[in-house]
Amino acid sequence: TKEIDSDQLDYCRFRELELLGQEIKRKQVQGQLAEVGVYKGNFATRIAYIFPDKKLYLFDTFSGFSENDVVWEKEHNLVTNGFLSLIPQYRDTCSETVLKKIIHPDRCIIKQGYFPDSLDGLEDIFCFVSIDVDLYQPTFKALQYFYPRLSRNGYILLHDYNHDELSGVKRAVLNYEKEVGTLITVPIPDQCGTLIVTK
């Protein structure tokens, strides 16, 4: 299928997730799991499979990007026209379809809506977080929320950090470092240039 072919193209990121999962288990890192930017749930299915005993919070509008965020991105020249032409396809998802793919849907908590409004008072600590929201504003807000709640030896994966068409993600990280100091990071050579953040 197209989804399987797409996953094979991003082998490096999926394999990295497995290795990080092994480290989190070996070090018995405390906390739950989260993914911000779920789309059709391909990465969420792997997170849930690797960590079957933890809660997985899934944050997404399940209706595509915020128009305000897209306008802001264009005004600041952080996104290419090529990516803008793809934006309508990201509306093609729903939480029910995502949950059907996941091995333990009872351990998933859907947090539908615009982040961080969708937090709805959530207070937890996290051992692993995937942030894949493509644009500056939601990336920056996700870092502001999750990094302080990341357990020692936990990991945040920031997708698209080294993506040529989405420079807002890197800018969000650099601006967040101005608030908190230099982060411990490792870039990986996957399809879209993911950045690993740890403590």
Side-chain angles (χ1 to χ4, degrees):
T1 68
K2 288 184 178 179
E3 287 183 353
I4 291 174
D5 291 341
S6 173
D7 293 354
Q8 290 171 345
L9 287 173
D10 214 7
Y11 169 83
C12 182
R13 183 164 67 120
F14 294 128
R15 182 64 178 136
E16 186 65 42
L17 172 63
E18 294 173 7
L19 295 174
L20 295 180
Q22 291 174 15
E23 290 299 293
I24 287 168
K25 291 173 184 177
R26 181 177 69 82
K27 296 176 182 177
Q28 298 182 329
V29 183
Q30 299 302 301
Q32 304 305 329
L33 317 162
E35 182 171 44
V36 189
V38 178
Y39 188 38
K40 294 191 175 184
N42 289 351
F43 203 59
T45 60
R46 284 165 172 77
I47 297 171
Y49 179 79
I50 290 168
F51 299 100
D53 58 337
K54 291 184 178 290
K55 288 188 293 187
L56 172 57
Y57 294 95
L58 297 175
F59 294 88
D60 204 296
T61 64
F62 295 101
S63 60
F65 292 101
S66 157
E67 183 60 31
N68 288 338
D69 286 345
V70 174
V71 169
W72 193 94
E73 210 85 0
K74 289 192 289 187
E75 288 175 346
H76 291 80
N77 299 311
L78 295 174
V79 65
T80 65
N81 289 332
F83 182 79
L84 290 172
S85 69
L86 300 175
I87 281 179
Q89 79 181 31
Y90 289 97
R91 300 188 191 107
D92 181 26
T93 185
C94 68
S95 58
E96 292 81 6
T97 301
V98 169
L99 287 176
K100 286 178 183 177
K101 295 181 176 182
I102 292 178
I103 189 169
H104 300 292
D106 55 307
R107 290 193 170 272
C108 294
I109 298 109
I110 297 290
K111 305 291 279 184
Q112 185 164 353
Y114 182 73
F115 188 91
D117 299 343
S118 56
L119 285 167
D120 194 28
L122 173 66
E123 291 292 340
D124 213 331
I125 60 168
F126 297 87
C127 64
F128 180 84
V129 179
S130 170
I131 300 174
D132 184 6
V133 285
D134 299 346
L135 307 179
Y136 175 91
Q137 297 281 11
T139 299
F140 189 79
K141 291 171 184 173
L143 275 172
Q144 282 185 313
Y145 178 78
F146 285 105
Y147 183 74
R149 293 167 175 80
L150 184 68
S151 296
R152 182 171 173 78
N153 295 316
Y155 299 97
I156 295 175
L157 288 190
L158 277 157
H159 198 232
D160 300 311
Y161 176 80
N162 279 311
H163 195 301
D164 292 338
E165 295 190 275
L166 299 168
S167 55
V169 175
K170 180 173 285 187
R171 184 177 295 188
V173 175
L174 298 179
N175 284 345
Y176 184 64
E177 286 186 317
K178 292 177 182 177
E179 289 189 358
V180 301
T182 302
L183 302 172
I184 301 171
T185 61
V186 180
I188 62 172
D190 64 330
Q191 187 180 16
C192 293
T194 292
L195 184 73
I196 302 171
V197 179
T198 190
K199 283 185 173 180

